[in-house]
Amino acid sequence: MKVKLNEQGLVPAIAQDVNTGNVLMLGYMNPGSIKRTVEGVQVWFYSRSQEDLWHKGEVSGNYLNLREAWLDCDGDTILLKVDPDGPTCHTGNTSCFFNPLEGLPEGYEDTDRGPGILGELYATVQDRQREMPEGSYTVKLLQEGVGRIAQKVIEEAGETALAAAQGDTDNLPSEIADLMYHTLVLMAASGIKPEQVWKELRDRRG
């Protein structure tokens, strides 16, 4: 059965204590964190705030040891049955679910994190950056360094502008996609997170 990813390239994952049945937390996983979790013994998530893989318990020592993993009937939610080493929540509580919702919430907070496909592609670039698989064009660019990647961005920007100036609407989407891809590789090589760019764009909405 295939895992269905959302617009951000992620799938929600519920961690449940295999011993008590209590729900411990809700996290998100991308293909990279799913791979590390299933092939290893402890749970990895994808941190949307840090925009990177997150080994749960790496800081606190309260790891979630995987016992079973299940997909729901639609393939869009994962259930992780785990044996926790300690409290799961960063507050020190056993579970992250300790705030009762007794009526309407006090308010709502916008957590929009930018276009989904760009975040998904950036996560793939990060995976290549960590694992450096042979034969990968992304790895080849990263190995050549920021200067070479920056040169590619300039080249792709020129090709995009030329296609637009010539009215070549058939090839323009492909040229824009090439420009965005190489820009994401440049961001990863420079240590820039997409959220930093989304923030700049949000600040300019006015």
Side-chain angles (χ1 to χ4, degrees):
M1 188 172 185
K2 293 184 178 180
V3 174
K4 296 178 182 177
L5 304 177
N6 64 16
E7 293 180 352
Q8 286 75 44
L10 306 173
V11 59
I14 300 166
Q16 180 186 37
D17 191 322
V18 71
N19 303 301
T20 66
N22 291 337
V23 174
L24 300 177
M25 66 171 289
L26 169 69
Y28 289 85
M29 306 180 83
N30 71 347
S33 62
I34 293 173
K35 182 176 185 293
R36 292 198 180 199
T37 298
V38 172
E39 292 182 349
V41 296
Q42 294 172 337
V43 174
W44 288 71
F45 292 107
Y46 182 82
S47 171
R48 295 176 298 167
S49 59
Q50 298 298 320
E51 297 178 320
D52 203 352
L53 295 186
W54 167 34
H55 187 188
K56 176 62 179 170
E58 187 173 22
V59 176
S60 66
N62 297 325
Y63 296 100
L64 297 179
N65 303 289
L66 183 67
R67 294 294 177 260
E68 301 174 15
W70 297 80
L71 271 175
D72 76 341
C73 56
D74 294 320
D76 59 6
T77 305
I78 296 176
L79 174 63
L80 304 169
K81 295 193 175 184
V82 301
D83 187 8
D85 283 340
T88 298
C89 186
H90 71 281
T91 62
N93 284 278
T94 300
S95 167
C96 292
F97 295 95
F98 57 88
N99 293 305
L101 185 60
E102 300 171 341
L104 291 175
E106 296 176 359
Y108 298 89
E109 180 179 353
D110 181 8
T111 58
D112 173 43
R113 299 187 183 277
I117 187 61
L118 294 181
E120 180 180 351
L121 183 55
Y122 185 80
T124 300
V125 171
Q126 284 184 308
D127 285 342
R128 299 292 185 273
Q129 193 175 30
R130 274 186 295 264
E131 299 171 5
M132 303 296 279
E134 292 184 8
S136 166
Y137 174 67
T138 301
V139 170
K140 179 177 179 292
L141 284 175
L142 292 168
Q143 289 175 333
E144 290 176 345
V146 171
R148 173 56 180 158
I149 301 169
Q151 182 181 0
K152 287 295 296 181
V153 171
I154 293 171
E155 292 175 7
E156 298 299 342
E159 292 177 8
T160 298
L162 184 61
Q166 294 177 341
D168 186 2
T169 54
D170 289 335
N171 290 314
L172 185 56
S174 176
E175 297 295 352
I176 293 174
D178 285 343
L179 175 59
M180 288 182 169
Y181 159 74
H182 285 90
T183 300
L184 290 174
V185 177
L186 181 63
M187 289 167 56
S190 303
I192 302 298
K193 303 290 188 181
E195 178 57 28
Q196 294 173 259
V197 180
W198 308 154
K199 181 180 183 302
E200 290 293 333
L201 292 173
R202 282 193 292 266
D203 291 343
R204 299 180 190 188
R205 282 188 294 195

